Amino acid sequence: MSFGVQWAPRTMDTEVARRVLRFLEDRRVLYNDYAWEEPEHCVRSVLEIRRFLTDEIAKQDDGADLLGPLRAMRAACRKFLDKTQHEGSRRLYSSSGAVEAFGFFAALGEFRGAVGSQVAFLSGCYEIDIEDELARILPVPDSE
């Protein structure tokens, strides 16, 4: 008789992970070409993502396995919003200046990377396939 510790996700956790991933699949801010992105629309979309994640987090028990990834994605939303909504960045919406655009797109890339790593984690742990568009933000695997 062998004893081992093996983690198996609860059915409820799998359903929550699936719901989160399905919601993110329809968030173009995560994967559209940068040339198509409009700062104001991106900010609104990130606010919607943050609100959705906050609602899902509120439904979780303390210590739930999903809390870490959900909180990490919500923190990425806050960081993006902080970087793009700080005093003076309102120019992003009325100016096409290179400095402002670079700051916005740098924040967007960082946001996508942070969310992408959590999407990869959820997809892998809970064995959930995701649409090709969302898969574009998954981390590139190390190659040897």
Side-chain angles (χ1 to χ4, degrees):
M1 186 180 251
S2 66
F3 293 95
V5 177
Q6 186 174 20
W7 179 82
R10 298 180 314 173
T11 302
M12 187 173 85
D13 289 350
T14 301
E15 290 307 313
V16 172
R18 181 174 284 109
R19 187 169 51 244
V20 169
L21 293 174
R22 294 300 172 255
F23 177 81
L24 295 176
E25 285 175 341
D26 193 40
R27 300 284 104 192
R28 297 178 311 169
V29 68
L30 291 171
Y31 51 78
N32 259 1
D33 290 336
Y34 285 97
W36 295 0
E37 297 298 358
E38 295 180 26
E40 185 176 353
H41 293 149
C42 290
V43 167
R44 272 190 271 159
S45 186
V46 172
L47 284 167
E48 290 175 21
I49 293 169
R50 188 181 79 181
R51 191 171 314 125
F52 176 83
L53 292 170
T54 296
D55 290 346
E56 290 296 331
I57 289 167
K59 297 173 190 174
Q60 299 299 306
D61 295 329
D62 289 341
D65 294 326
L66 285 170
L67 279 178
L70 297 180
R71 285 179 171 159
M73 286 188 283
R74 185 175 65 174
C77 290
R78 281 194 310 266
K79 189 172 184 179
F80 172 80
L81 294 168
D82 288 347
K83 287 184 174 188
T84 59
Q85 293 184 313
H86 70 289
E87 193 60 39
S89 72
R90 294 285 179 226
R91 296 176 304 190
L92 286 173
Y93 305 119
S94 61
S95 168
S96 60
V99 173
E100 291 87 357
F102 176 78
F104 170 77
F105 290 119
L108 183 57
E110 184 178 352
F111 170 69
R112 289 175 173 183
V115 172
S117 65
Q118 299 308 314
V119 166
F121 177 79
L122 291 175
S123 177
C125 282
Y126 296 97
E127 299 179 354
I128 300 169
D129 291 332
I130 57 173
E131 291 180 357
D132 291 342
E133 289 86 0
L134 185 60
R136 290 167 48 184
I137 66 167
L138 298 179
V140 177
D142 291 336
S143 60
E144 297 271 337

